[in-house]
Amino acid sequence: MLRTIAYRLTGIPLIILGLLTITFILTRGIASDPIYGILSIRELMNEDYVALVREKYGLDEPLIVQYFNYLWNTVQGDLGTSFRTRQPILSDLLAKTPATLELIIFSLTIAGVLGVTLGCLAARFEGSVLDVTIRAVSLVGSSVPVFWLAIILLYLGSVVLDWFPGPGRISQRIAPLEDGTGFFLIDALVQGRWDAFQSALRQIMLPSIVLAWSILGTITRLVRASMLDAMESDFITLARAKGVGSWAITLRHALRASLLSTITILAHVFGYLLTGAVLVEAIFAWPGLGDYAIESARALDYPAILGVTLVSGVTFILVNLIADILYTVADPRIRQ
Amino acid sequence: MTDPLLSIRNLTVGFNRNDRDIRAIDDVSLDIGSGQCVGIIGESGSGKSVTALASLGLLPKQAWFRGDILFDGSSILGASESQMRSIRGRQIGFVFQDPMTTLHPLHRVGDQIAEAIRVHNRGISKAAMRERVISLLEDVAVPEPHRRIRAFPHELSGGLRQRICIAIAIANRPKLLIADEPTTALDVTVQRHLMETLEDLIGRYDMSLMLISHDIAIVHDIATDVHIFLKGNVVESGPVDRVISAPEMPYTQRLIAAVPSLDPDQKRLEGKAQSATSDTIESRAASVEPLKRRSQEGWPASAPLLSLHRVSKHYGNLPRGQEDNLDHPSFAVRDVSFDVHPGECHAIVGESGCGKSTLLKCIAGVLPVSDGAIRYKGDIVGADRRSLPPHFREQVQMVFQDPYSSLHPRMRVFDLIAEPLRNLGYGQEEINSRVLEAMNYAHVDPEARDKWPFQFSGGQRQRIGIARALVTRPEFLILDEPVSALDVSVQASILNQLNDIRRLLDLTYVFISHDLGVVNYVAERVSVMKDGRIVETGDRRDILTNPQHPFTQQLLEAAPGKSFYEHLRAGRGQGSQEQSMAD
Amino acid sequence: MTMLDLKTDELDQPPSAVAPNRIWASLRSSPLALTAIAIIAVWTFIGLTIDLWAPYDPLAPAGDRLQPPNAQHWFGTDTLGRDIFTRTMYGVRYSLPLALIVMFFTVLIGSVIGMLAGYYGGWIDYILMRLTDITAAFPPLILAMCVVAVLGPGIVNSAIALVAVWWPITARLLRAEVLSVKERDHVMAARVNSASDRRIMLRHIQPLCWAPVLVNATVDIGIVIIAIAGLSFIGLGSTPPTPEWGQMIYEGAGRYFNWWIATGPGLAIVTLALAFNFLGDAFQKALDPRRGEG
């Protein structure tokens, strides 16, 4: 088992090197001269000053040297400076990440529990009205643009029904939390701030329902398909021949077999959630990576966008790695 | 007379698929008494498995049925799901065909056996359960049961997995055991021991057995009564000895006559309705004129047409220093040498995984050898894909095992057969006449030229495959288990046809098979292969009557149906006596 | 079903081997597929003829600002007083053709890469698949965002960016199919009969591989329509005042209490994406009768 995991780990640096190469090509190879991003038009008029700045940023070196400088800087955590905020990108990103992760994990939990349950039910009662309904709803679910759903639900949930608060991560009316992990729900609990916890919980509900809905259909359909595959296997017939009851067959035999692919499915939709977060955070005034990405994109602050891309790429790789490891632990055929 | 244990009464089962109604079985009746061993014999599609699943009430949802099945006097098909659950596993045990897929891959085998017990005995203690599981493993002769109880299925061989399946089936000492082709997926040597275990358990625990098989020989060894299934009907029933030695129905007679035996003086087999056509192969061939008799021109009969000298093949890279270590597991073929002379049929016999398929790809020139040399007419083959002897691709052709995957499903019959000529750059006129010629030799109806492969049965598809091989007018055919995927009656007619073609066209064969009976029927020379090595090569008769190597002896010993063949010979002798008396 | 010896030959062949007329027959008998085709046909018709019957100018104010839906303005008016219904109808001219073009190039590039990797194996496979892994290591829309940011915003650049990030799905699907079809004996037979690599790939392997690619590409057209809108929503796709759906939804994002601004274009996206989802589902069912909608 350890060897399998070690093997997976060795692939990671290679992929990250690939990521960096792609981002480097995007910035230096295709984009216009980065100097235009660094200096204002007035400053660009002064040629001596331009040359000085070029030297300072290493932009006078041959591309290959720039490439290794870029790799070296990135590995050290230097992702450059944002044109927009004039802050080091890494510190910007670190400040924004907890908000996004909190949202994503919350959504993934909701969607995972619901999706696996619905997928199992649909497979268990294949062909019934329940199955058809679940499948239809899941198809509709993946056809709705998440950023539109966010607007509509925000209107319905906070204006029409008044069940949820408006945009924001925590109510402005309560005293702010002290600095902590950046995960408001956790910080509130640690600091014993029950009012803050309630407020943060109420605030996170609507955006995470939106995100959960956006992946629920995919999870349901994939779980249903893998359950049906499992239910067609010979070992299910054997279980029936043993006299095992049908719910026990669904749970102990079919679900057990398809849990493996469920792990992969959940890792796969994590990528959708990252994308979804980028699209909906702005609508919910959620100060996370997505919001940051959109603000940077609109300002054409591409060092910052590259930073977001790199961080989401690395996060996605790590999630897939965790899924791989879980898979290895769960499957005795690979575990050996 | 006491009531039978299981009684199938006028059972009809049908399936509704794509608005067509397919009858799987039609008005079948049969009884199994207490302690009785009943065999059900039929070819694929005869409805024998449906009968077995129906007896457990496990028909798929789409199935409809008429008639009834009584078990111990009460109806099975009319029983509720919860009544059925108390019968399945407790009163009736079931052994499925493929042990590779029937066990749950993620549960330990001990737990899977324990589940079968627990379903019918709630509240059994952990220690008591462990004891029962271990004693079950001992019953089915699994070695080291204390260790194996914690194994996962993938850690066990096919034979051991099937033993686990049997342990599950007998876990609650059912009155009836249904075994559906329990040994078909296994090698002969494993098959034999498994059947012995099964027979022993039946006797010890006084169970009845319904044994379903396509193999008359296996059924004969163990059953007392047989029912012969044909297309969903029972065509003949009776005590096994009577049915084998004096079959009454023409289908049964044909079925028995089609089985190739280990008798070195084997006569021509009776193929499926082939007597009319196969005898006319010469006349058919004559009708396609002007046919040049293709002999190995310019190649003396005394020199080997194909010779293998110390051929080895491994996959992947070998660790440093292990390049010459033939015992390294990445070797599939190890130091193989043999000669094939013009006009002869050289068989290679071995069990699954012995390396015969790899060897064959090397001979066909699609896989380079790692070491040694393969020579065709003295020229090296298979050093790499591009350097082949002149005209090798025309002169050497191949027939494949699986008649389904060996034909491109989206090409019409004519194009399938013409494909080799197209690649070789022949003109359209030449292609037309050659394809027609090949279709004639291979008994493919010329009317079929515009049909799709899925419109044909397995045997017909195999004939299309043979036609494709003959279309280049080859001298040498490589046959990779050409009949192992076919029903026995079809098998016989294809074998006859291959023999005829070889005689008529002076071809040379390399014939790969796992079945000694088949080999006995077609080959002059036999090589026995095990773990990548040829352990013995010799004339067919010597190998069969006087095997030298222990593995060959084991293979011969394990071949099913010893008593069947003796019976058969006695029966045939009797039959011919009667015949002569009638004359 | 494997237990029963009922397997008919038709079920034995790979899904891709299903004849086109049979696929069509299956689509015709599925109400969902017919609905899907009808929706796509209606949108295509709207896109082709909108100039002839548009009630208002899509770019000019047509009345008071921020009117909720009413008899004159079915979908209401936006912050500049433009008619949202007219703008929504014009929007299909951007989304649909662009999504089809993106999918065409995606499938083309992905298929070539998947086929070469699967067929040749070895180091070619290694290099191509690592490239695929690296591209697929980013969440697609985020990488696309990055590419557009670098290329410069615009609707053509956003299409290029989507192709650049979408191909790995096709490549992986096709490679997996090639790996399984490659093992069939008929490919071995073609090799024994000295067919060239090109011929084996195009004639013997490719026709048996496209089923999952087709199903996936159909569904993905819907997803690409959403992605194009997403890029515009972010501000990287079309530029104002283009009546593009994502752009229009963005205009409504900050004013969620004026819910109708985003509703028209949102519903337009949902209908089209849903149609392609249904169609993909119907293809799945037609190609593999044991799967898909029961």
Side-chain angles (χ1 to χ4, degrees):
Chain A
M1 174 166 74
L2 283 175
R3 197 179 315 155
T4 323
I5 293 172
Y7 177 77
R8 303 250 188 244
L9 281 174
T10 54
I12 300 291
L14 192 74
I15 290 192
I16 290 181
L17 182 70
L19 289 185
L20 290 174
T21 310
I22 288 186
T23 48
F24 177 80
I25 292 171
L26 284 174
T27 39
R28 309 294 155 90
I30 300 173
S32 50
D33 192 338
I35 198 80
Y36 297 113
I38 300 168
L39 297 177
S40 66
I41 295 174
R42 193 177 48 80
E43 287 166 325
L44 282 169
M45 308 290 272
N46 184 338
E47 280 179 28
D48 291 341
Y49 185 60
V50 169
L52 214 67
V53 174
R54 269 188 197 283
E55 200 183 322
K56 178 169 178 276
Y57 282 87
L59 293 175
D60 55 341
E61 309 266 9
L63 264 184
I64 186 77
V65 178
Q66 288 191 37
Y67 174 62
F68 284 107
N69 284 341
Y70 173 74
L71 290 186
W72 180 237
N73 289 341
T74 311
V75 168
Q76 288 180 311
D78 177 7
L79 300 177
T81 307
S82 161
F83 299 163
R84 187 170 56 91
T85 65
R86 303 279 161 189
Q87 297 288 316
I89 287 168
L90 188 69
S91 65
D92 272 359
L93 292 177
L94 285 180
K96 304 281 184 188
T97 306
T100 301
L101 273 187
E102 190 173 38
L103 183 60
I104 286 182
I105 292 169
F106 210 81
S107 323
L108 191 61
T109 315
I110 298 177
V113 172
L114 265 180
V116 172
T117 313
L118 290 178
C120 281
L121 282 175
R124 169 70 182 76
F125 299 105
E126 191 198 354
S128 70
V129 180
L130 182 69
D131 178 32
V132 172
T133 315
I134 291 177
R135 283 167 45 69
V137 170
S138 83
L139 274 184
V140 174
S142 29
S143 309
V144 177
V146 58
F147 45 94
W148 178 67
L149 184 71
I151 297 170
I152 298 302
L153 281 192
L154 194 55
Y155 174 72
L156 287 178
S158 75
V159 178
V160 179
L161 299 171
D162 198 21
W163 289 355
F164 301 100
R169 205 176 161 204
I170 195 160
S171 168
Q172 305 288 342
R173 267 171 262 146
I174 60 171
L177 284 165
E178 289 160 39
D179 282 351
T181 57
F183 294 87
F184 279 10
L185 289 172
I186 295 174
D187 287 346
L189 284 181
V190 169
Q191 296 168 21
R193 290 282 306 277
W194 184 240
D195 60 332
F197 182 79
Q198 274 184 315
S199 169
L201 194 62
R202 278 164 57 83
Q203 293 283 358
I204 204 175
M205 287 314 287
L206 205 50
S208 47
I209 288 172
V210 169
L211 282 185
W213 168 266
S214 75
I215 56 168
L216 184 61
T218 311
I219 299 182
T220 307
R221 261 190 321 226
L222 293 176
V223 168
R224 175 181 179 273
S226 94
M227 283 289 286
L228 285 181
D229 267 342
M231 301 254 243
E232 260 183 19
S233 325
D234 290 354
F235 58 76
I236 297 293
T237 319
L238 175 69
R240 294 182 69 196
K242 281 179 184 175
V244 179
S246 63
W247 276 110
I249 287 179
T250 311
L251 298 177
R252 198 156 57 218
H253 294 262
L255 183 60
R256 176 75 180 82
S258 57
L259 262 187
L260 289 178
S261 43
T262 306
I263 296 173
T264 319
I265 293 167
L266 291 182
H268 174 70
V269 297
F270 192 89
Y272 294 176
L273 282 178
L274 279 171
T275 310
V278 167
L279 291 168
V280 305
E281 278 184 359
I283 299 169
F284 288 103
W286 197 266
L289 282 180
D291 183 46
Y292 181 76
I294 289 206
E295 289 299 319
S296 310
R298 295 210 173 112
L300 291 185
D301 179 359
Y302 60 78
I305 302 173
L306 283 172
V308 175
T309 311
L310 203 56
V311 167
S312 56
V314 171
T315 315
F316 197 30
I317 290 172
L318 290 180
V319 167
N320 277 307
L321 178 73
I322 294 169
D324 268 354
I325 292 174
L326 284 178
Y327 199 106
T328 315
V329 173
D331 190 342
R333 286 165 294 184
I334 308 177
R335 193 156 66 205
Q336 288 218 306
Chain B
M1 190 187 146
T2 54
D3 281 339
L5 185 62
L6 183 85
S7 171
I8 298 177
R9 305 238 173 109
N10 307 98
L11 182 66
T12 302
V13 177
F15 291 87
N16 208 324
R17 177 171 287 160
N18 297 342
D19 300 330
R20 277 175 307 156
D21 205 34
I22 305 166
R23 288 235 168 139
I25 51 175
D26 198 358
D27 200 21
V28 163
S29 297
L30 59 89
D31 288 340
I32 299 177
S34 285
Q36 207 185 4
C37 286
V38 172
I40 291 182
I41 294 170
E43 304 192 326
S44 59
S46 63
K48 52 195 197 312
S49 294
V50 174
T51 310
L53 287 173
S55 309
L56 266 191
L58 283 183
L59 288 174
K61 275 182 269 177
Q62 319 91 297
W64 58 266
F65 56 86
R66 257 200 320 268
D68 203 0
I69 301 178
L70 300 179
F71 180 78
D72 240 359
S74 55
S75 165
I76 287 217
L77 294 178
S80 72
E81 183 62 22
S82 66
Q83 282 170 319
M84 271 322 295
R85 277 210 295 276
S86 66
I87 292 177
R88 289 183 203 135
R90 187 158 77 186
Q91 310 269 20
I92 306 178
F94 206 113
V95 180
F96 294 98
Q97 173 171 356
D98 188 355
M100 295 302 169
T101 57
T102 36
L103 290 172
H104 197 293
L106 306 177
H107 291 299
R108 295 179 196 279
V109 295
D111 296 339
Q112 301 196 40
I113 300 174
E115 185 188 34
I117 301 171
R118 190 173 296 114
V119 170
H120 301 287
N121 308 273
R122 300 272 164 205
I124 193 166
S125 80
K126 236 180 156 181
M129 177 64 85
R130 188 182 156 81
E131 207 146 294
R132 280 186 68 173
V133 171
I134 286 179
S135 93
L136 274 169
L137 287 174
E138 281 165 352
D139 275 351
V140 294
V142 169
E144 301 179 77
H146 290 274
R147 194 162 65 81
R148 292 285 158 63
I149 197 171
R150 295 195 41 81
F152 286 99
H154 70 273
E155 297 166 327
L156 305 177
S157 67
L160 279 181
R161 289 193 213 189
Q162 194 62 305
R163 284 171 192 276
I164 304 288
C165 291
I166 295 176
I168 290 173
I170 64 162
N172 298 296
R173 304 277 156 79
K175 293 180 189 157
L176 172 68
L177 192 62
I178 300 176
D180 184 3
E181 304 260 12
T183 58
T184 309
L186 306 170
D187 283 331
V188 269
T189 45
V190 182
Q191 214 170 48
R192 171 73 183 275
H193 293 132
L194 202 81
M195 287 313 292
E196 282 169 4
T197 306
L198 205 56
E199 201 170 356
D200 169 56
L201 286 167
I202 300 286
R204 193 168 354 145
Y205 295 131
D206 195 27
M207 292 182 282
S208 305
L209 176 72
M210 182 201 278
L211 177 65
I212 294 160
S213 182
H214 67 284
D215 190 334
I216 303 175
I218 285 183
V219 173
H220 184 269
D221 283 351
I222 183 167
T224 51
D225 288 271
V226 287
H227 301 275
I228 312 282
F229 272 57
L230 171 66
K231 293 183 184 149
N233 295 293
V234 178
V235 291
E236 185 159 4
S237 303
V240 69
D241 289 345
R242 202 276 297 153
V243 172
I244 303 286
S245 55
E248 283 163 3
M249 303 304 290
Y251 174 73
T252 320
Q253 291 165 356
R254 269 212 315 276
L255 199 65
I256 291 168
V259 180
S261 76
L262 294 176
D263 179 357
D265 300 314
Q266 168 86 54
K267 296 281 179 342
R268 186 178 174 93
L269 294 174
E270 192 94 28
K272 182 185 185 180
Q274 272 300 305
S275 42
T277 40
S278 61
D279 289 340
T280 60
I281 184 166
E282 265 125 11
S283 56
R284 275 169 157 264
S287 72
V288 190
E289 42 95 46
L291 249 190
K292 192 172 56 127
R293 296 270 293 192
R294 298 163 240 163
S295 56
Q296 278 73 21
E297 290 151 19
W299 194 255
S302 57
L305 192 63
L306 178 83
S307 89
L308 277 74
H309 181 69
R310 312 209 62 166
V311 169
S312 298
K313 172 69 192 171
H314 64 76
Y315 288 105
N317 291 322
L318 289 173
R320 200 168 279 278
Q322 298 283 304
E323 287 89 347
D324 298 323
N325 177 11
L326 285 178
D327 292 326
H328 193 276
S330 28
F331 274 95
V333 175
R334 300 178 162 112
D335 197 16
V336 164
S337 306
F338 62 83
D339 290 342
V340 181
H341 289 271
E344 105 187 340
C345 175
H346 191 114
I348 299 170
V349 188
E351 303 197 316
S352 55
C354 72
K356 49 192 201 289
S357 304
T358 303
L359 180 61
L360 172 144
K361 285 182 189 164
C362 294
I363 296 176
V366 289
L367 203 63
V369 300
S370 310
D371 200 12
I374 300 175
R375 284 171 195 276
Y376 178 77
K377 290 187 177 174
D379 294 320
I380 296 269
V381 179
D384 68 86
R385 264 181 71 192
R386 275 168 196 81
S387 67
L388 290 171
H391 305 299
F392 183 79
R393 288 283 179 234
E394 280 191 81
Q395 293 178 4
V396 178
Q397 283 290 325
M398 198 164 162
V399 176
F400 297 88
Q401 170 173 15
D402 178 3
Y404 292 90
S405 90
S406 63
L407 300 182
H408 191 313
R410 294 304 301 157
M411 278 167 89
R412 293 178 195 273
V413 169
F414 181 89
D415 295 318
L416 280 167
I417 300 175
E419 174 77 7
L421 298 178
R422 295 243 159 85
N423 293 331
L424 293 165
Y426 279 87
Q428 191 58 45
E429 235 168 82
E430 177 80 6
I431 289 179
N432 285 340
S433 71
R434 287 247 204 144
V435 169
L436 196 66
E437 167 195 316
M439 285 169 112
N440 262 295
Y441 277 116
H443 298 181
V444 178
D445 182 1
E447 301 288 308
R449 49 173 289 158
D450 289 326
K451 289 192 176 170
W452 300 103
F454 71 82
Q455 295 170 291
F456 297 90
S457 68
Q460 289 169 314
R461 280 163 177 247
Q462 201 55 308
R463 294 201 176 92
I464 298 173
I466 293 171
R468 173 176 60 191
L470 293 178
V471 80
T472 62
R473 294 187 177 154
E475 297 173 357
F476 189 94
L477 281 192
I478 302 167
L479 301 134
D480 181 10
E481 302 247 19
V483 294
S484 69
L486 305 175
D487 282 328
V488 60
S489 56
V490 182
Q491 172 176 326
S493 73
I494 299 273
L495 287 176
N496 283 336
Q497 202 180 330
L498 287 170
N499 276 342
D500 292 340
I501 290 170
R502 177 161 68 100
R503 187 163 38 84
L504 197 68
L505 302 177
D506 284 335
L507 297 183
T508 310
Y509 287 176
V510 164
F511 192 107
I512 297 211
S513 182
H514 68 282
D515 186 335
L516 278 173
V518 167
V519 166
N520 176 38
Y521 189 58
V522 296
E524 276 106 31
R525 304 264 307 163
V526 178
S527 291
V528 181
M529 199 164 177
K530 179 177 169 34
D531 296 336
R533 292 178 202 276
I534 299 270
V535 296
E536 185 169 4
T537 298
D539 283 344
R540 170 183 63 101
R541 187 173 289 270
D542 295 342
I543 296 272
L544 288 175
T545 53
N546 186 20
Q548 298 302 309
H549 193 274
F551 178 69
T552 318
Q553 293 161 359
Q554 209 184 332
L555 267 185
L556 278 165
E557 183 60 31
K562 278 252 142 63
S563 60
F564 165 70
Y565 292 119
E566 275 154 27
H567 221 101
L568 199 57
R569 213 168 320 162
R572 274 182 189 160
Q574 219 174 36
S576 54
Q577 267 173 20
E578 279 162 18
Q579 194 87 43
S580 60
M581 274 161 70
D583 291 340
Chain C
M1 197 50 44
T2 48
M3 299 281 182
L4 302 181
D5 38 11
L6 280 174
K7 252 205 257 168
T8 59
D9 293 352
E10 295 155 47
L11 290 182
D12 251 7
Q13 49 180 338
S16 306
V18 178
N21 56 353
R22 203 170 284 213
I23 296 174
W24 177 229
S26 167
L27 289 189
R28 259 195 332 215
S29 67
S30 151
L32 273 191
L34 290 181
T35 316
I37 293 172
I39 294 175
I40 296 167
V42 166
W43 275 116
T44 312
F45 178 79
I46 291 174
L48 291 174
T49 61
I50 180 68
D51 280 335
L52 304 177
W53 53 269
Y56 299 98
D57 183 338
L59 302 179
D64 291 342
R65 299 170 57 238
L66 295 174
Q67 293 178 51
N70 57 47
Q72 278 79 47
H73 304 284
W74 295 352
F75 288 180
T77 57
D78 63 12
T79 45
L80 298 176
R82 293 171 299 195
D83 180 54
I84 294 175
F85 176 76
T86 309
R87 286 172 66 76
T88 303
M89 294 299 117
Y90 269 97
V92 74
R93 287 191 163 186
Y94 300 90
S95 298
L96 189 55
L98 216 57
L100 292 174
I101 292 170
V102 166
M103 226 42 236
F104 174 79
F105 283 103
T106 300
V107 167
L108 189 71
I109 295 173
S111 302
V112 170
I113 290 181
M115 174 62 86
L116 294 177
Y119 182 74
Y120 286 106
W123 62 269
I124 296 182
D125 184 34
Y126 185 84
I127 290 176
L128 290 178
M129 279 303 113
R130 287 302 81 76
L131 190 65
T132 312
D133 286 346
I134 291 165
T135 314
F138 297 103
L141 199 68
I142 295 180
L143 183 59
M145 193 176 92
C146 188
V147 175
V148 192
V150 167
L151 292 179
I155 202 151
V156 175
N157 283 352
S158 65
I160 294 174
L162 285 173
V163 173
V165 302
W166 224 272
W167 61 267
I169 304 172
T170 311
R172 283 179 174 167
L173 278 176
L174 200 80
R175 175 174 173 273
E177 286 298 294
V178 170
L179 286 182
S180 95
V181 172
K182 199 169 82 159
E183 293 307 312
R184 285 176 59 97
D185 281 342
H186 84 262
V187 175
M188 171 82 163
R191 211 167 277 176
V192 169
N193 285 311
S194 58
S196 64
D197 285 342
R198 215 177 90 102
R199 187 174 168 85
I200 293 179
M201 279 190 268
L202 293 181
R203 178 125 173 101
H204 293 273
I205 298 183
Q206 172 271 328
L208 301 184
C209 289
W210 50 264
V213 174
L214 175 80
V215 171
N216 183 70
T218 311
V219 172
D220 271 7
I221 292 174
I223 301 180
V224 165
I225 287 176
I226 296 178
I228 291 172
L231 285 174
S232 295
F233 176 82
I234 293 170
L236 292 174
S238 64
T239 42
T242 317
E244 199 278 341
W245 293 337
Q247 174 85 33
M248 293 163 72
I249 294 177
Y250 169 63
E251 286 156 13
R255 316 184 62 90
Y256 61 87
F257 29 87
N258 299 132
W259 54 274
W260 61 87
I261 301 180
T263 301
L267 286 178
I269 294 176
V270 173
T271 51
L272 254 187
L274 199 58
F276 283 107
N277 257 320
F278 283 163
L279 196 59
D281 209 50
F283 272 135
Q284 173 99 54
K285 189 192 169 201
L287 291 165
D288 191 354
R290 287 165 304 176
R291 280 275 166 271
E293 170 232 0

